[in-house]
Amino acid sequence: MFVEKNKEYIVEIIDNGMEGEGIAKIDDFVIFIPNAIKGEKVRILILKVLKNHAYGKILEILENSKYRIEEDCTTYKRCGGCNLRHIDYEETLNIKQKNVENLVNKTLKDKNIEVKKVIGMGNPYGYRNKAQYPVGINKLGEPIIGVFAQRSHEIIPMQKCYIQNEIAEKIAFTIYKFIKEKNIPVYNESSRSGIIRHIVIKVGIRTHEIMCILVLNGKSIPYENELVEMLVKEYNVKTIVKNINKENTNVILGKQNIVVHGDGYIYDILGEYTFKISPMSFYQVNPVQAEILYNTAIEMAELNKEDNLFDLYCGIGTIGIFASTYVKKVYGIEIVEEAIKDAKENAKINNIENIEFYAGDVEKVFANLMEKRQVYPDVIIVDPPRKGLDENTISNILAVEPKKVVYISCNPATMVRDIKLLEEKYEINEIQPVDMFPFTSHIECISMLQLKEKM
């Protein structure tokens, strides 16, 4: 059967893909269908046909999956954030586990690697400690705040988000009302005019400290003092920062910060440790699961007091500080200078003396530590960005041969790709996924690579 655009078909969903989409086949031709669940029978409309696959949308569900739940969010299909919102939470964990298993089986030589059951979240709601709201102009020329529609710059008006911290939503909407009442110009992407571009809120989940970042296309806000006074009075906001971003870019934050209230920082607590968080520094958006992630990684590594540990892509030093009590010395490396400043401060706050932090490209600093300082790792922990490890870092690992490499990843595809390059010298027994982002298709994974014994 030839699949045609704008034609209707009745199909059975045979699987769910990496983005949570349903997968069907018509005469072995693959169709991807958002919001469909394995086991369902649906009537679909074909939207796009490519050489090897097509995309469709559901017109009618003829047979429901037992895992389909009543939708509680009116915008998730458009914003693309919670693309598993229509599926029972426990089943989303099974889908994520299976997707990681598929990547392992397709990519790695060793097919005996166990992908363990995903560590889920007891309460998978309101977990995000950072909210980022674009501000713009709607089709009527009025100010609008919300979230970007999937794969576009259209702003969907803000409504209740079930994974967002409740106080962050309230603060953002209060700022939006203030903007409207005072007729403060908001950013227009077309003309690159207007002042307010984004509202970013960071919340210390355990300390309840709040940082408000106003991203501006300029340096001043009309009625600035009045806005600051209101936020401090109504919400006890600890610090308010103006971030200047005049660039024509998709990057939310610019490079310059101006503190207008407080000291420009908030603090939060993970495990036994306190962490200082700045406007620019990376901090896990789900600290409840981050604590589980770090403790699980350390447990899998089986560290000992004789180990030199290299913590690559260390951010503000969270996992290195967690691991410091189990090893002789930690060396943390991160390219973001402000994050390294925070990491050093975090070590002082927590009285950690066996840790050093370095700002710079991971591959360069990693090599310099070995060549100039003659410091070599017994264990390496890597927590790279979504693009994974660079070739130089992989080459350095293979050349130095640390006895263990703990790979923490927010992108299983690049993790498995990198493990394949390390497979020659390292063996891996298991992968432990952790659900850091409930109701989304994202999954965090921990892999422990052990150096093979030389024959």
Side-chain angles (χ1 to χ4, degrees):
M1 186 187 297
F2 183 73
V3 176
E4 297 180 39
K5 183 180 177 181
N6 296 325
K7 192 170 180 180
E8 295 181 15
Y9 298 88
I10 292 175
V11 296
E12 293 185 358
I13 307 302
I14 58 174
D15 210 346
N16 284 97
M18 293 300 296
E19 299 297 322
E21 73 279 24
I23 298 174
K25 284 187 178 181
I26 298 175
D27 285 354
D28 288 330
F29 191 74
V30 175
I31 319 288
F32 295 109
I33 307 148
N35 304 307
I37 307 173
K38 181 180 178 181
E40 291 187 326
K41 189 174 184 179
V42 294
R43 185 165 60 88
I44 64 169
L45 177 70
I46 299 296
L47 301 177
K48 188 175 183 180
V49 180
L50 301 176
K51 184 178 179 181
N52 296 317
H53 59 274
Y55 296 92
K57 74 171 183 178
I58 295 175
L59 297 177
E60 182 184 4
I61 300 175
L62 302 174
E63 293 178 12
N64 269 15
S65 165
K66 65 180 180 180
Y67 300 114
R68 183 172 287 278
I69 60 174
E70 188 175 341
E71 297 166 9
D72 56 5
C73 177
T74 58
T75 59
Y76 86 93
K77 289 182 182 177
R78 293 189 65 203
C79 80
C82 296
N83 46 3
L84 303 181
R85 170 64 63 186
H86 56 293
I87 306 175
D88 173 76
Y89 178 62
E90 288 300 318
E91 180 60 14
T92 69
L93 303 182
N94 294 331
I95 290 170
K96 293 181 183 189
Q97 179 184 10
K98 189 172 185 298
N99 283 338
V100 178
E101 285 175 345
N102 288 341
L103 283 170
V104 168
N105 291 333
K106 286 177 184 176
T107 311
L108 300 181
K109 293 177 184 175
D110 186 352
K111 308 300 181 188
N112 297 316
I113 297 168
E114 179 189 6
V115 177
K116 303 190 80 172
K117 183 175 172 59
V118 179
I119 300 175
M121 197 171 184
N123 175 19
Y125 298 94
Y127 59 82
R128 286 187 62 91
N129 61 3
K130 182 174 79 169
Q132 300 179 148
Y133 297 104
V135 185
I137 305 289
N138 67 13
K139 293 175 183 177
L140 300 174
E142 302 166 335
I144 186 172
I145 180 176
V147 291
F148 284 125
Q150 195 171 15
R151 289 186 287 274
S152 85
H153 272 215
E154 178 192 354
I155 298 174
I156 303 169
M158 187 173 85
Q159 298 185 26
K160 173 68 180 174
C161 176
Y162 289 89
I163 66 171
Q164 199 60 260
N165 185 283
E166 196 172 322
I167 193 69
E169 278 193 330
K170 289 180 179 178
I171 292 170
F173 196 71
T174 298
I175 295 170
Y176 168 64
K177 287 196 294 183
F178 186 89
I179 289 169
K180 286 187 71 175
E181 287 170 7
K182 301 295 184 182
N183 291 316
I184 298 173
V186 300
Y187 189 65
N188 185 319
E189 275 197 348
S190 300
S191 63
R192 296 177 61 184
S193 61
I195 298 297
I196 311 287
R197 293 184 67 152
H198 274 82
I199 298 167
V200 181
I201 313 292
K202 294 187 177 187
V203 181
I205 297 299
R206 297 225 165 85
T207 62
H208 306 294
E209 293 184 352
I210 300 166
M211 173 189 294
C212 178
I213 306 165
L214 302 169
V215 184
L216 309 180
N217 181 40
K219 289 195 175 182
S220 62
I221 312 170
Y223 307 99
E224 181 178 303
N225 292 338
E226 190 177 336
L227 174 60
V228 169
E229 187 178 329
M230 178 193 67
L231 292 175
V232 174
K233 184 178 180 181
E234 287 192 24
Y235 297 103
N236 195 28
V237 174
K238 180 176 182 286
T239 190
I240 301 171
V241 178
K242 293 188 297 187
N243 176 270
I244 315 305
N245 187 356
K246 297 181 182 181
E247 301 296 320
N248 184 20
T249 175
N250 292 333
V251 178
I252 292 174
L253 296 179
K255 295 179 180 178
Q256 183 183 3
N257 291 304
I258 301 171
V259 179
V260 295
H261 173 75
D263 55 10
Y265 295 92
I266 60 170
Y267 294 86
D268 201 13
I269 296 169
L270 271 186
E272 302 172 2
Y273 304 105
T274 300
F275 293 97
K276 182 179 182 180
I277 303 161
S278 71
M280 308 297 285
S281 59
F282 172 80
Y283 183 67
Q284 291 282 6
V285 297
N286 185 343
V288 173
Q289 290 294 88
E291 193 173 318
I292 292 170
L293 179 80
Y294 296 156
N295 285 329
T296 303
I298 289 166
E299 185 179 326
M300 288 172 68
E302 297 181 339
L303 302 169
N304 70 62
K305 285 288 188 179
E306 300 304 311
D307 287 335
N308 279 326
L309 172 66
F310 279 28
D311 178 14
L312 310 186
Y313 311 92
C314 68
I316 61 171
T318 44
I319 192 163
I321 287 172
F322 262 67
S324 62
T325 189
Y326 301 98
V327 298
K328 181 169 69 175
K329 190 72 178 273
V330 178
Y331 299 87
I333 307 170
E334 167 65 50
I335 195 168
V336 180
E337 289 190 17
E338 189 169 343
I340 286 296
K341 288 179 184 176
D342 289 348
K344 291 177 179 178
E345 182 71 18
N346 288 330
K348 288 180 183 176
I349 291 167
N350 293 288
N351 299 313
I352 308 296
E353 296 181 353
N354 64 331
I355 197 163
E356 294 179 13
F357 291 106
Y358 298 88
D361 288 337
V362 165
E363 62 269 29
K364 293 177 183 176
V365 179
F366 183 17
N368 285 342
L369 275 172
M370 294 183 293
E371 292 168 10
K372 296 180 180 179
R373 291 277 308 274
Q374 297 295 301
V375 176
Y376 297 92
D378 300 296
V379 181
I380 294 176
I381 293 180
V382 297
D383 189 0
R386 290 189 62 79
K387 65 182 181 180
L389 299 176
D390 62 272
E391 290 181 7
N392 288 338
T393 300
I394 290 174
S395 296
N396 282 332
I397 291 171
L398 289 171
V400 176
E401 297 184 348
K403 61 186 178 183
K404 297 173 187 173
V405 178
V406 181
Y407 197 133
I408 300 174
S409 174
C410 61
N411 185 351
T414 54
M415 177 194 73
V416 171
R417 177 204 68 196
D418 293 343
I419 289 174
K420 183 179 181 181
L421 298 174
L422 296 165
E423 247 188 322
E424 178 190 347
K425 289 190 175 182
Y426 286 87
E427 62 183 3
I428 172 172
N429 295 319
E430 63 183 29
I431 295 174
Q432 176 62 71
V434 179
D435 195 24
M436 297 285 287
F437 315 101
F439 294 113
T440 79
S441 57
H442 300 294
I443 184 68
E444 200 95 2
C445 289
I446 312 163
S447 308
M448 215 287 283
L449 286 69
Q450 184 90 34
L451 187 66
K452 294 177 180 177
E453 292 185 11
K454 291 180 180 178
M455 302 301 290

